Amino acid sequence: FTEAFLVSGENFADSLSIGSFASKNCIPLLLTPSTILSDSVLNSINTNGITKITIIGGESAITADLENQLKDLKLSVNRIGGLNRTHTSVLVGQTFFPNAETGIFTNGMTFSDALVAAPYGALLNSPILLIQKNELGKNMEDFLNRSYTKLGIVIGGDNAISPETHQLLLLH
């Protein structure tokens, strides 16, 4: 492989958003501190001949300085990052699953449900879409109104995604 995804090793949300796509396409996820390029990540880039890095997450997850460190290494660098974790998951869905008919919804504030959903997302070629317990959020609603998604699968019980939020999903 010559491509990798770079995600924060300090926060789980962005790695969960890209996990199903990375798994399905055998693209490694490199976990890094938000501000510096760790020796282990640099070693992985060099050892594996990685030439393209896609940063998943905004500048609060992976700083612009770290992005510039990658560019200084003459790597092709792209970033997919939204205003928050929900928005980032929407952007990942739009970018890597533009024609997905199924979306997998999990609470974006906890990692367990999205973690176990990633292989299922890879199998179904579906994005992991992070939502809040009690609301979808404007970015997610806009995405659902414009997407090809016909089926939503909610992973997690009522403590993760409220019945009211389930109802909102049914309206889309």
Side-chain angles (χ1 to χ4, degrees):
F1 49 82
T2 59
E3 177 181 7
F5 293 111
L6 187 68
V7 296
S8 171
E10 299 166 346
N11 196 330
F12 60 85
D14 299 326
S15 61
L16 298 174
S17 293
I18 195 63
S20 62
F21 183 84
S23 175
K24 183 171 183 65
N25 294 282
C26 298
I27 299 172
L29 293 177
L30 302 177
L31 305 176
T32 186
S34 64
T35 59
I36 60 167
L37 188 60
S38 69
D39 290 340
S40 62
V41 169
L42 183 58
N43 184 47
S44 184
I45 290 169
N46 291 331
T47 301
N48 293 300
I50 293 170
T51 58
K52 179 182 179 189
I53 297 283
T54 301
I55 297 169
I56 305 296
E59 290 184 10
S60 63
I62 306 279
T63 64
D65 286 344
L66 194 149
E67 182 176 353
N68 289 330
Q69 291 174 45
L70 294 167
K71 289 177 181 176
D72 289 345
L73 296 172
K74 306 299 184 220
L75 298 170
S76 171
V77 180
N78 182 29
R79 180 188 293 267
I80 298 172
L83 302 171
N84 54 43
R85 59 187 64 200
T86 298
H87 190 210
T88 296
S89 76
V90 164
L91 295 175
V92 167
Q94 289 172 331
T95 303
F96 297 105
F97 300 96
N99 301 313
E101 293 185 3
T102 303
I104 299 175
F105 297 88
T106 67
N107 185 312
M109 301 309 290
T110 60
F111 71 90
S112 55
D113 294 330
L115 183 64
V116 299
Y120 193 45
L123 180 68
L124 296 175
N125 196 34
S126 300
I128 305 298
L129 299 165
L130 305 179
I131 59 177
Q132 295 181 33
K133 177 180 180 177
N134 294 310
E135 68 176 323
L136 296 178
K138 180 164 178 22
N139 295 313
M140 187 63 67
E141 287 184 19
D142 290 346
F143 170 71
L144 292 173
N145 288 332
R146 291 188 318 267
S147 76
Y148 293 98
T149 304
K150 295 179 178 122
L151 175 64
I153 299 171
V154 176
I155 306 293
D158 289 349
N159 286 332
I161 308 289
S162 72
E164 295 79 14
T165 304
H166 279 121
Q167 289 299 315
L168 290 173
L169 286 169
L170 289 174
L171 295 174
H172 292 280

